[in-house]
Amino acid sequence: MLDSTQFPIVKRWPAQHPERLQLYSLPTPNGVKVSIMLEEIGLPYEAHLIDIGNNETWTPEFLALNPNGKIPAIIDPDGPGGRPLPLFESGAILLYLAEKSGRFLPQDPAQRYETIQWVFFQMAAVGPMFGQLGFFHKFAGREYEDKRPLERYKNESKRLLGVLETRLEGRDWIMGAEYTIADISLLGWVRNLIGFYEARELVEFDSFPRVAQWLERGLARPAVQRGLAIPARAA
């Protein structure tokens, strides 16, 4: 196992504090899952901005850490057994940080797996569907003459919001009274859908009042507000 300072990515993005966890990210819905979690648990870390607009995730140094070429990724110099741990995939990182810190993941085995299932729901459904809606509604896909893809992703996004609306009946958070990594995984995506993707009216977001109230509660958390802006974008 390499010492954390010997990973190729550290040569391109040098660590000022190599003893801290290193975060390689951008404040996208996937990226902020990890920065929010790190802010919530208070683990010392150092954030490095990875400019996906300039294809920095496809550099040899980044690919050596994540061969899939996506943010976020981390290196924990104090991983299991005291050895450095490189890790990618935001859901996997959330689970790792929850177990490392002992926070935001229930100890009860049944509730633990129920929480994990909602993280997988975000990874497998909410992220991909909301992302496609953003592409066809706001970005290059809006120029396509064929509007069937937009209609499909609009309808699927509304369906997924409906799943969350039903889940939140009688609950403040996805798992009930306790805020967990299930909420952390979803907050950035729902915020992005109605904000950056400008799809609030398209998906009739105001017809999902429980989701709206849940989002408001989540965004009111100081750690969430800090995490949403980490790493700071270039001016």
Side-chain angles (χ1 to χ4, degrees):
M1 175 68 73
L2 291 171
D3 176 88
S4 63
T5 60
Q6 295 178 308
F7 285 91
I9 197 167
V10 176
K11 294 177 173 59
R12 186 179 180 101
W13 288 278
Q16 299 301 310
H17 303 280
E19 75 283 1
R20 299 179 184 176
L21 184 145
Q22 303 295 308
L23 169 65
Y24 306 92
S25 191
L26 187 74
T28 66
N30 281 331
V32 299
K33 294 180 210 172
V34 179
S35 52
I36 288 171
M37 182 64 172
L38 287 166
E39 288 295 315
E40 291 279 15
I41 63 178
L43 183 69
Y45 71 100
E46 185 174 351
H48 304 272
L49 181 73
I50 307 300
D51 188 349
I52 61 177
N54 285 325
N55 295 319
E56 287 186 343
T57 56
W58 300 111
T59 59
E61 296 88 352
F62 191 90
L63 290 171
L65 179 58
N66 181 1
N68 194 35
K70 304 291 184 183
I71 59 96
I74 66 169
I75 298 173
D76 184 359
D78 184 26
R83 297 187 298 272
L85 176 69
L87 201 60
F88 64 90
E89 281 297 332
S90 56
I93 297 171
L94 282 182
L95 285 169
Y96 171 69
L97 293 174
E99 293 184 339
K100 181 182 178 76
S101 66
R103 300 187 65 192
F104 306 118
L105 184 62
Q107 295 298 309
D108 174 77
Q111 290 194 351
R112 180 177 183 274
Y113 283 110
E114 189 176 351
T115 304
I116 292 170
Q117 84 176 350
W118 285 101
V119 174
F120 283 18
F121 167 78
Q122 182 278 303
M123 298 288 291
V126 168
M129 294 300 105
F130 285 13
Q132 291 288 354
L133 178 62
F135 175 79
F136 285 102
H137 176 59
K138 182 175 179 179
F139 299 108
R142 69 181 178 179
E143 305 297 332
Y144 294 4
E145 185 176 347
D146 187 347
K147 298 304 178 186
R148 286 175 296 180
L150 174 61
E151 191 70 12
R152 162 168 167 63
Y153 294 118
K154 177 193 76 173
N155 290 337
E156 184 63 4
S157 294
K158 288 173 65 176
R159 187 189 72 80
L160 293 170
L161 288 170
V163 173
L164 291 175
E165 182 75 6
T166 299
R167 175 65 181 180
L168 288 164
E169 183 175 3
R171 295 180 174 92
D172 284 343
W173 305 107
I174 297 298
M175 287 301 296
E178 298 297 324
Y179 171 83
T180 68
I181 57 172
D183 302 287
I184 293 173
S185 73
L186 285 157
L187 281 169
W189 276 107
V190 177
R191 173 180 177 266
N192 217 58
L193 178 70
I194 63 172
F196 186 61
Y197 290 161
E198 301 173 356
R200 187 183 195 111
E201 293 184 4
L202 183 68
V203 299
E204 301 174 5
F205 184 75
D206 293 330
S207 66
F208 304 100
R210 298 186 198 109
V211 177
Q213 292 161 11
W214 162 85
L215 178 62
E216 185 177 356
R217 280 191 292 274
L219 294 179
R221 295 178 68 91
V224 172
Q225 283 299 310
R226 294 193 301 270
L228 288 170
I230 298 171
R233 293 180 182 268

